[in-house]
Amino acid sequence: MDMEKVNSMDFGEFVDVFGNVIERCPLIAAAVWSQRPFSDLEDLEKHFSAFIDALPQSGQEGVLRCHPDLAGRELQRGTLTAESQREQGAGLTSLGAEERLRAELNAQYRARFGFPFVLAARLSDREAVLRELARRLHRPPALELRTALGEVKKIGRLRLADLVGADP
Ligand SMILES: NC(=O)NC1=NC(=O)NC1=O
């Protein structure tokens, strides 16, 4: 899909295609549409990121809360979005003690920060998820909010590249 096609999309088509670039936050695509035309993929990415950066803290935390746990109940139940299923399905599931430890750390993280632990799974692996969870769990909330939003942007960048880089 080239930028000419992206820039020619009406509102409905744009949100249909880009509505889940930021997990379960079609509002962001709905807002970014009005910024067209986009010069290239990087310009499109910048508009998605700028919308998130311009949100008040409550909105940024809300974006994070729209993310399913990493390898959590939704993965087990098969209720993830297609994008999340693809990202999380690749080798994050583990069994037994590691699974229980990750669930416990996820719960501690969510209790401490008020939003789920978010990590760009495609850039990580099972061991790194546990390591990052344990490391980030004890960080100051203001710093962790910025780190978590950075992961949301990485996930969004990869999803945009899949969509815009996809064949016509
Ligand atoms: N909590 C999460 O990190 N969720 C996710 N990370 C991804 O890469 N895809 C997700 O759904």
Side-chain angles (χ1 to χ4, degrees):
M1 182 189 311
D2 61 22
M3 293 314 292
E4 192 180 334
K5 164 73 178 157
V6 174
N7 289 323
S8 69
M9 288 179 177
D10 65 23
F11 173 76
E13 200 180 0
F14 188 87
V15 175
D16 278 351
V17 172
F18 297 104
N20 205 46
V21 163
I22 306 298
E23 181 71 3
R24 294 175 174 154
C25 289
L27 164 73
I28 301 179
V32 165
W33 177 74
S34 53
Q35 308 290 318
R36 72 197 189 290
F38 308 102
S39 49
D40 53 21
L41 173 61
E42 192 180 343
D43 184 39
L44 187 56
E45 280 173 25
K46 271 192 302 195
H47 284 294
F48 274 84
S49 292
F51 184 92
I52 293 172
D53 291 341
L55 287 173
Q57 181 173 326
S58 59
Q60 292 176 335
E61 291 173 350
V63 168
L64 290 164
R65 291 186 196 115
C66 287
H67 283 69
D69 273 350
L70 207 48
R73 267 199 298 273
E74 288 209 55
L75 179 61
Q76 266 74 34
R77 289 179 183 157
T79 56
L80 291 171
T81 59
E83 293 86 352
S84 281
Q85 178 57 48
R86 268 199 307 276
E87 289 153 356
Q88 296 202 33
L92 280 190
T93 48
S94 55
L95 301 171
E98 185 179 292
E99 168 70 17
R100 283 189 295 278
L101 173 59
R102 187 180 49 238
E104 175 53 33
L105 289 175
N106 260 328
Q108 288 178 27
Y109 181 100
R110 191 188 281 269
R112 173 171 164 76
F113 296 109
F115 49 76
F117 173 75
V118 177
L119 180 78
R122 284 163 70 174
L123 305 176
S124 189
D125 60 34
R126 226 178 55 198
E127 291 71 30
V129 167
L130 269 183
R131 198 168 53 243
E132 280 295 284
L133 242 175
R135 182 176 72 85
R136 288 168 47 188
L137 178 58
H138 304 293
R139 299 175 79 193
L143 180 60
E144 183 52 26
L145 176 63
R146 281 203 301 277
T147 301
L149 292 171
E151 293 299 312
V152 170
K153 293 173 185 175
K154 284 180 197 170
I155 296 167
R157 195 174 307 130
L158 292 166
R159 291 183 182 185
L160 277 172
D162 288 343
L163 290 164
V164 176
D167 298 335

